Amino acid sequence: MNMKKSAAFIFYSVLFLLFSCQGNKGESVPMETAGITVSSTLEIHDRVSLNSYDADSPEMAIDISLPRVVLDNDEATQKMEKAIAAEIFRTDKALPEACAEFCDESKKTYSHYKDEYINLTNEGKAQAEHLNHFYNISAYAEQGLGNCINYIVTWNEFCGGAHGNTYNNVINIDKSNGNVIMLSDIMKEGYEKPLTELLTKKFIEHTGSKNIDDTHEKGEFYHNTDLFISSIYIIGKENITFIYNRYDIAPDIAKEIKLTTDYKELKELLK
């Protein structure tokens, strides 16, 4: 086994352990933690080579691990799962079908790189590491404010380019009916301006800056951009955490940024 294939084997073995692979598809034992019941885990672990006849062929790995939370009734559970599928995969299909469709489409797209790999091989260029692609999609659920369940998703991918990317999605669900809980559901009308001001203050503190102009000069914040209320937020038990993914408001070096406001700070804005 050559060094490139050995490195790829080690890499995918680590992924295998991280996601507790149980074959191509598996389910975990039902469990209940802090009032949240998880019936099973939707698991997909798939590999596809650009050229199955070539032992050195680059591969794409797809690892999905999504807990299936049980809400107060079947209708609520189904509504929640469709909301999760819509947020993660941008589809109106049920969650299992959405995962399967994502895998099929990803593999179809990846097959388009086969000619590039063959051309590199024919030209005697063995450097094809950029064609080793992967998707890691995992999630966990936790109890949020009141009747809210926070379903927190981490999406990690490499599809070529200078580096991979990691970002988060959060779906806040009312466990009684499966509806998505929005900020407008818990905050008074007109909350946007004071909340933006509060988050701007938090961002200045986060970067150790004197003011918003100072963040521009430090390169912590994109120039000519005002801070906005992130659409990704965790309505937690004691606070709301706003998540800004890589590139949302800051350069790549900053990675993701989390700004947390406790409910005491928000008391004038809450319903």
Side-chain angles (χ1 to χ4, degrees):
M1 182 180 290
N2 64 31
M3 290 183 64
K4 182 180 75 173
K5 197 65 180 177
S6 178
F9 176 81
I10 293 172
F11 172 75
Y12 292 128
S13 296
V14 171
L15 289 180
F16 180 92
L17 293 173
L18 284 174
F19 286 88
S20 303
C21 180
Q22 303 174 26
N24 284 339
K25 297 182 181 180
E27 290 190 346
S28 60
V29 178
M31 62 180 181
E32 182 172 342
T33 304
I36 298 176
T37 302
V38 176
S39 64
S40 62
T41 301
L42 179 56
E43 299 246 12
I44 297 177
H45 303 280
D46 206 351
R47 305 288 184 273
V48 59
S49 298
L50 281 179
N51 188 349
S52 59
Y53 299 102
D54 184 350
D56 293 326
S57 172
E59 296 180 330
M60 180 176 69
I62 301 175
D63 291 282
I64 300 174
S65 182
L66 301 174
R68 305 192 72 175
V69 177
V70 179
L71 299 185
D72 290 355
N73 57 73
D74 289 344
E75 183 180 353
T77 299
Q78 292 172 12
K79 186 182 290 187
M80 174 197 64
E81 286 210 341
K82 291 203 75 172
I84 291 170
E87 181 63 35
I88 300 176
F89 299 111
R90 300 294 187 257
T91 179
D92 60 357
K93 290 183 169 59
L95 190 57
E97 287 76 12
C99 288
E101 182 178 73
F102 171 78
C103 290
D104 289 343
E105 291 299 321
S106 297
K107 288 188 285 187
K108 186 183 298 183
T109 299
Y110 186 62
S111 68
H112 296 160
Y113 291 96
K114 183 175 181 178
D115 288 343
E116 180 180 346
Y117 176 62
I118 291 174
N119 289 337
L120 287 172
T121 303
N122 291 340
E123 292 171 6
K125 298 178 180 178
Q127 295 83 4
E129 285 79 5
H130 66 288
L131 296 177
N132 281 310
H133 294 184
F134 65 83
Y135 291 99
N136 299 334
I137 307 167
S138 62
Y140 66 93
E142 63 183 18
Q143 182 63 51
L145 176 67
N147 225 25
C148 179
I149 289 178
N150 314 130
Y151 196 90
I152 302 167
V153 183
T154 299
W155 180 300
N156 187 17
E157 68 176 37
F158 176 74
C159 301
H163 53 70
N165 194 17
T166 300
Y167 55 93
N168 293 285
N169 295 75
V170 179
I171 307 97
N172 299 285
I173 300 291
D174 185 331
K175 66 180 180 181
S176 68
N177 54 31
N179 290 336
V180 176
I181 301 175
M182 310 298 291
L183 286 180
S184 57
D185 295 323
I186 64 171
M187 292 193 175
K188 299 175 183 176
E189 186 176 352
Y191 72 87
E192 292 88 352
K193 186 174 184 296
L195 180 56
T196 301
E197 292 173 351
L198 177 59
L199 291 175
T200 300
K201 178 182 177 182
K202 294 281 184 181
F203 179 70
I204 291 169
E205 293 172 353
H206 173 82
T207 58
S209 303
K210 298 176 183 177
N211 49 50
I212 197 67
D213 292 334
D214 191 27
T215 67
H216 289 290
E217 293 174 8
K218 286 183 176 182
E220 297 281 356
F221 196 42
Y222 282 130
H223 293 286
N224 303 318
T225 302
D226 293 325
L227 192 69
F228 57 88
I229 300 171
S230 176
S231 61
I232 305 168
Y233 46 84
I234 302 171
I235 303 176
K237 285 184 177 180
E238 299 177 355
N239 50 52
I240 302 179
T241 298
F242 293 86
I243 301 173
Y244 297 85
N245 285 315
R246 177 185 280 177
Y247 300 119
D248 280 353
I249 59 173
D252 173 61
I253 193 171
K255 309 294 183 193
E256 74 171 14
I257 292 173
K258 295 181 179 181
L259 303 178
T260 299
T261 62
D262 63 47
Y263 290 118
K264 291 181 180 178
E265 295 175 294
L266 298 169
K267 63 181 180 180
E268 299 299 326
L269 304 180
L270 296 173
K271 289 182 178 178

